[in-house]
Amino acid sequence: MRKIWLIFVLTIFMAFLSGYARADESDVLVKNGIKAVSVYDYITAFKDFKKACEMGNGDGCDKLGLLYLRGLGVKQSYKMANELFNKACELGYGMGCNNLGALYDEGLGVKQDHRMAAKLYKKACDMGYGIGCSNLGYSYEMGTGVEQSYRVAAKLYKKACEMGYGMGCNNLGALYDKGLGVKQDHRMAAKLYKKACDMGYGIGCSNLGYLYEKGLGVKQNYRMAAKLYEMACEMGSSEGCNNLGLLYDKGLGVKQDHRMAAKLYKKACETGDSGGCNNLGTLYEEGLGVPMNKFKAYKYLIKAAKMGNVDAQHNLDILCKESPWACK
């Protein structure tokens, strides 16, 4: 599963790539703003989105809020992002409702309020935005702001998937994978992960790769797993990079190559995967694919341990016991 915030921050890129059919003046401004963003001209984008928003275009308000959220062409301000998403939502633009919900979920620019977040996700979902349905599904899965229910989560993920939102397909696949709210069915999980992967969601490719690696719902195939992990890694999935690194580490589906494993673990670690940090630390401790360096081993293991990685904490205990000088 992906956290709500990880889903949310991606919307800035997805929204800027979406097309527009209307052609009134404010919509033209939004379209021009999107073109400006595509060439990193955030100053022009800011001016276009601001003018469109002032003309009552909810889409323009939402995109202006995204610029404030990320600090692109303007000083970062969660408060301003909140005000703009709220205005977009009030103007009937569902993505604004969803993004406002994400701010309430994380407590950015507003007091954290999961119940309010869930209400806003529902509003976005009811307006036909798959991301809102998926985020509301996640709220039900986790029991944040609503009564926990895997069944309701599954229904919402299904709705999001049918609306063409790939993360919804992936999250529904994960429920089938684990048998939560639905009957466990690895074959169905594989179909849903593939659908998410085909839509460009790296986590879906990574999850499908795992099924191929373990032979769950599909015939075991390490080469296919490696291919899918590579796709996932290229799409920005830290989990995919780490999993591909493990295959290179063990020589499964690919020729064993500890140097390549180290590169992939490093990429995964730098993008927030605790497993990648732990695995890279282990390679430095053992001198596989990288020069043996106990200090660097400690650096990566402590990073992974702080992320909550249990294996890293175990490996850290061993390192500090055997080489206490490296842990100072």
Side-chain angles (χ1 to χ4, degrees), residues 228-248:
L228 286 161
Y229 289 150
E230 184 176 13
M231 288 173 62
C233 185
E234 290 174 351
M235 289 178 189
S237 169
S238 58
E239 185 178 291
C241 298
N242 178 59
N243 289 346
L244 181 59
L246 285 166
L247 293 187
Y248 273 104

Side-chain angles (χ1 to χ4, degrees), residues 16 24 37 39 52 85 94 103-104 158-159 202-203 216 222 229 232 238 244 271 293 306 310:
F16 286 150
D24 63 35
V37 168
V39 293
F85 292 151
L103 293 189
Y104 273 103
K158 184 173 186 283
K159 187 174 181 178
I203 186 66
L216 297 171
Y222 290 122
Y229 289 150
S238 58
L244 181 59
T271 50
N293 188 318
K306 287 180 178 179
V310 177

Side-chain angles (χ1 to χ4, degrees), residues 83-105:
E83 290 178 9
L84 287 159
F85 292 151
N86 185 61
K87 186 174 180 179
C89 185
E90 289 178 346
L91 287 168
Y93 189 67
M95 188 62 80
C97 303
N98 173 79
N99 291 347
L100 181 59
L103 293 189
Y104 273 103
D105 237 345

Side-chain angles (χ1 to χ4, degrees), residues 165-185:
Y165 185 65
M167 189 60 74
C169 304
N170 174 77
N171 290 352
L172 180 58
L175 293 186
Y176 273 104
D177 214 349
K178 301 172 184 176
L180 298 174
V182 291
K183 184 177 180 181
Q184 189 174 45
D185 186 337

Side-chain angles (χ1 to χ4, degrees), residues 43-254:
I43 301 300
T44 297
F46 175 82
K47 291 178 181 178
D48 288 338
F49 294 149
K50 185 174 186 292
K51 190 171 181 180
C53 181
E54 290 171 347
M55 294 171 70
N57 187 302
D59 195 355
C61 297
D62 178 64
K63 287 181 173 56
L64 183 59
L66 289 169
L67 293 185
Y68 273 106
L69 173 72
R70 300 297 300 276
L72 300 174
V74 66
K75 185 178 180 180
Q76 186 184 48
S77 172
Y78 294 130
K79 183 179 179 181
M80 282 300 300
N82 171 275
E83 290 178 9
L84 287 159
F85 292 151
N86 185 61
K87 186 174 180 179
C89 185
E90 289 178 346
L91 287 168
Y93 189 67
M95 188 62 80
C97 303
N98 173 79
N99 291 347
L100 181 59
L103 293 189
Y104 273 103
D105 237 345
E106 296 295 320
L108 297 173
V110 291
K111 184 178 179 181
Q112 190 174 48
D113 187 336
H114 296 304
R115 290 183 66 182
M116 179 59 75
K119 288 180 181 179
L120 287 160
Y121 293 147
K122 184 179 186 303
K123 192 170 183 178
C125 181
D126 290 343
M127 289 181 183
Y129 285 80
I131 188 172
C133 302
S134 182
N135 285 345
L136 181 58
Y138 190 85
S139 295
Y140 273 100
E141 183 181 353
M142 297 292 107
T144 53
V146 293
E147 186 177 350
Q148 198 274 341
S149 173
Y150 292 122
R151 283 193 175 187
V152 175
K155 289 180 181 178
L156 286 161
Y157 289 149
K158 184 173 186 283
K159 187 174 181 178
C161 184
E162 290 172 345
M163 288 179 178
Y165 185 65
M167 189 60 74
C169 304
N170 174 77
N171 290 352
L172 180 58
L175 293 186
Y176 273 104
D177 214 349
K178 301 172 184 176
L180 298 174
V182 291
K183 184 177 180 181
Q184 189 174 45
D185 186 337
H186 294 303
R187 291 182 65 182
M188 178 58 75
K191 289 180 181 179
L192 288 161
Y193 289 151
K194 184 179 186 304
K195 192 169 183 179
C197 181
D198 290 343
M199 289 180 183
Y201 286 83
I203 186 66
C205 303
S206 181
N207 287 340
L208 182 57
Y210 184 82
L211 294 186
Y212 272 102
E213 181 182 349
K214 302 301 179 182
L216 297 171
V218 292
K219 185 176 180 180
Q220 188 180 50
N221 187 325
Y222 290 122
R223 291 184 67 181
M224 180 59 76
K227 181 180 178 180
L228 286 161
Y229 289 150
E230 184 176 13
M231 288 173 62
C233 185
E234 290 174 351
M235 289 178 189
S237 169
S238 58
E239 185 178 291
C241 298
N242 178 59
N243 289 346
L244 181 59
L246 285 166
L247 293 187
Y248 273 104
D249 215 348
K250 301 173 184 176
L252 297 174
V254 291

